[in-house]
Amino acid sequence: MATPTAIDPGPCTTEARSNDQMRALIESSVPAIASFLAGTPLPGTDGAATPTVTPGMPADAATVAEVEATARQFVACSNEPNLPAVAALLTEQGAGNFLSFGFLQFQAISSGATGTPAAGIDPELINIYLASMQLQTPLPPEFRLTLYGIESVTQLEDGRVRAIVLLATGSEEPRQSGMLLREEDGRYRIIFGRETSDAAESTPAP
């Protein structure tokens, strides 16, 4: 089959989360994420191995347009890369998951530690981590995302929205990825990782 035509996502115009917002999310989320990485289920997920998606119906045109705009910005900001802006495209809980995974990896690399990540938080290391996010080192071509389509936008019974996004990373073939979103603060934001309330599906990290 021929490769579909790539969609230009446009520039990253999303207003980034502030350092204070991101610091608060890291401080509140790191203990649970560290425990999860150590093998302890997140509170509220009941250790569910298979995420569930409730039935739904096709979303209306306004919702489809908002979801498409969010997906385009996710690709644009991921490729820039502008991680504080990516965090702003995620739900508050999703941004906490995203930033905490990144911080724990940064902490392990900085300390040379291996094995289970430590749940302790060094405030100064958070400052260094947040500063490193401002560098915006260009992504190598093999890590850049290409958007080929956004389809099957569905309004789920539990209030979330599911979309099928056709993406490729680097030179890989396009693949279908499920993207779950929730309306939060007046816009649809992407759910990243498990939601402790209902074990939502995850969205791949940039």
Side-chain angles (χ1 to χ4, degrees), residues 131-167:
S132 73
M133 294 174 67
Q134 310 299 327
L135 299 178
Q136 298 185 4
T137 304
L139 281 181
E142 61 267 26
F143 294 120
R144 293 181 64 84
L145 298 175
T146 302
L147 179 65
Y148 289 98
I150 305 155
E151 54 193 42
S152 301
V153 181
T154 305
Q155 186 78 55
L156 305 180
E157 291 178 355
D158 61 11
R160 295 176 297 171
V161 173
R162 177 177 169 83
I164 303 300
V165 182
L166 191 62
L167 289 170

Side-chain angles (χ1 to χ4, degrees), residues 55-154:
M57 59 186 299
D60 59 35
T63 299
V64 171
E66 290 187 45
V67 169
E68 289 180 346
T70 297
R72 287 171 184 258
Q73 280 294 287
F74 178 78
V75 171
C77 298
S78 296
N79 285 341
E80 194 166 296
N82 185 336
L83 298 185
V86 171
L89 291 164
L90 309 179
T91 63
E92 184 168 329
Q93 188 173 89
N97 293 339
F98 170 72
L99 294 166
S100 294
F101 276 115
F103 172 73
L104 288 170
Q105 183 180 42
F106 181 82
Q107 179 174 256
I109 292 172
S110 299
S111 65
T114 59
T116 302
I121 300 172
D122 179 346
E124 184 55 35
L125 195 58
I126 292 182
N127 292 335
I128 297 171
Y129 171 61
L130 294 175
S132 73
M133 294 174 67
Q134 310 299 327
L135 299 178
Q136 298 185 4
T137 304
L139 281 181
E142 61 267 26
F143 294 120
R144 293 181 64 84
L145 298 175
T146 302
L147 179 65
Y148 289 98
I150 305 155
E151 54 193 42
S152 301
V153 181
T154 305

Side-chain angles (χ1 to χ4, degrees), residues 7-88:
I7 297 172
D8 181 2
C12 173
T13 58
T14 298
E15 183 178 353
R17 288 188 185 268
S18 69
N19 277 3
D20 286 344
Q21 290 175 328
M22 292 191 292
R23 181 180 294 103
L25 287 170
I26 291 169
E27 290 174 346
S28 63
S29 302
V30 157
I33 297 302
S35 295
F36 170 73
L37 293 174
T40 303
L42 293 175
T45 64
D46 298 323
T50 304
T52 58
V53 175
T54 60
M57 59 186 299
D60 59 35
T63 299
V64 171
E66 290 187 45
V67 169
E68 289 180 346
T70 297
R72 287 171 184 258
Q73 280 294 287
F74 178 78
V75 171
C77 298
S78 296
N79 285 341
E80 194 166 296
N82 185 336
L83 298 185
V86 171

